[in-house]
Amino acid sequence: MARYYRYRLPPWARKCLFIAEQITLPILIFQLIRTIFLPTTFDVLLTLLLAGIYIAFYLKWI
């Protein structure tokens, strides 16, 4: 199987990926602050999901 290469995507998909990569950190910070002050099960799971997505973008897995 070929390795996933983000620059082979169509231009519209590549643009959506770059936008998602840039907006992930501010949403994660907001969600983390919200989870600290009002911890519910949904907030904790959402924070973990966003942290996983951010780490995947940071390590260039996506």
Side-chain angles (χ1 to χ4, degrees), residues 1-59:
M1 293 195 53
R3 179 164 159 72
Y4 173 75
Y5 189 59
R6 67 176 19 181
Y7 296 103
R8 287 186 186 170
L9 294 172
W12 62 270
R14 192 172 38 215
K15 187 175 181 180
C16 290
L17 188 65
F18 289 143
I19 290 171
E21 185 175 3
Q22 291 176 349
I23 202 167
T24 303
L25 183 61
I27 293 174
L28 175 61
I29 291 170
F30 172 77
Q31 186 62 34
L32 185 62
I33 292 170
R34 181 183 164 171
T35 303
I36 289 171
F37 289 119
L38 215 67
T40 63
T41 305
F42 177 73
D43 286 330
V44 172
L45 293 176
L46 188 59
T47 303
L48 291 174
L49 177 71
L50 287 171
I53 291 172
Y54 177 73
I55 290 170
F57 275 130
Y58 184 75
L59 296 175

